Amino acid sequence: MLVDGAPREAAAVVIATGHRPPDDPLRSRWTGPRTRYVEDPWASLALSAIRADERVLLLGTGLTSVDVLLTL
């Protein structure tokens, strides 16, 4: 139903809730410290701890990696 209360018919419904947090590709492979590993770049202030003069390894080829690259 819409605001006016009238029902609507549809052949399909899309529930677009956004994307889930990214999978961690190193979860089962990296046993070292994770203090400088950013698992979720969308987490609040996740990228702000990276200084402008630091070297960064960016894993990924999708739009999130491009967003992170442009943010840094």
Side-chain angles (χ1 to χ4, degrees):
M1 282 193 245
L2 299 177
V3 175
D4 64 4
R8 298 294 193 261
E9 290 188 30
V13 175
V14 176
I15 301 174
T17 60
H19 53 78
R20 299 183 326 227
D23 289 333
D24 182 353
L26 302 178
R27 183 181 321 267
S28 63
R29 297 181 183 157
W30 184 355
T31 59
R34 298 173 72 89
T35 55
R36 299 291 292 160
Y37 178 67
V38 177
E39 185 174 348
D40 182 2
W42 298 119
S44 179
L45 304 176
L47 302 177
S48 64
I50 301 172
R51 295 187 324 262
D53 63 340
E54 287 187 284
R55 292 182 181 193
V56 174
L57 171 65
L58 181 58
L59 301 175
T61 58
L63 291 176
T64 298
S65 63
V66 173
D67 289 340
V68 170
L69 179 65
L70 294 173
T71 299
L72 294 174

